[in-house]
Amino acid sequence: MKGLLVSGGNKVNFSILERESNNSFIVCADGGIKNFVGTYLKPDLIVGDFDSIDDNGKKFVKEKNLEFKKYPCQKEFTDTEAALEILLEKNVDEIVILGATGTRLDHTVSNIFLLQKLFGKINAKLIDNNNEIYYFENGIYEFEKSWYKYISVIPISTCVEYSTEGLLYDTNHIIINSTSGIGVSNEILNQKCKINIYNGKGFIIKSND
């Protein structure tokens, strides 16, 4: 079973929420409930300090008799982290994170780096209306062509060495540093591509404008 975490950032398109909710155990972090209000979908559990749920969200929770786990406002972890730990305890097969990007860049960056925390434990990705994000370390990563036009390699370590197959701008043992934008806005040419990371850490981002 897949684990779906819906956080309190920008709302995701309903088509994304509907697709990712299929056959998933859904944990909603606090204000993420706004994604479910007015739909036939509902989370299995809501967690958080309930400081960012509006009146419509509270009404929805009450009407649907949703299960919730409340935390104090002053705590040493975010609501999204609390939801993530619950999914890990459920022993799900993979984790998809929605609603984790938005106007609060501190929350956005923190949420993206949760992918690093999950690396080696479980397959995970973060999705919003324009992006699909994966964390990488050494290894081979394959991606199929989809509705995303661009694919980018973003280093977070001092440098990343990698090769690619099947991209518009293929590379062979290229080394890029964390201040370089050379890995941005590549494109998958045919049905799939392969990215071989020899050294370094970072994010692979599939995106649309």
Side-chain angles (χ1 to χ4, degrees), residues 13 128-132 147-152 184-187 205-209:
N13 294 335
D128 66 15
N129 292 336
N130 298 89
N131 306 278
E132 191 168 297
W147 51 88
Y148 295 107
K149 180 177 182 180
Y150 303 108
I151 186 166
S152 302
V184 171
S185 295
N186 216 324
E187 298 180 33
I205 304 178
K206 297 161 64 178
S207 59
N208 284 319
D209 290 323

Side-chain angles (χ1 to χ4, degrees), residues 6 12-21 35-36 41 98:
V6 183
V12 294
N13 294 335
F14 178 70
S15 59
I16 297 174
L17 180 65
E18 186 177 42
R19 182 189 73 220
E20 298 301 333
S21 294
N35 291 276
F36 298 91
L41 299 170
L98 304 181

Side-chain angles (χ1 to χ4, degrees), residues 24-39:
S24 297
F25 184 85
I26 307 170
V27 179
C28 178
D30 210 282
I33 196 65
K34 62 178 176 279
N35 291 276
F36 298 91
V37 174
T39 78

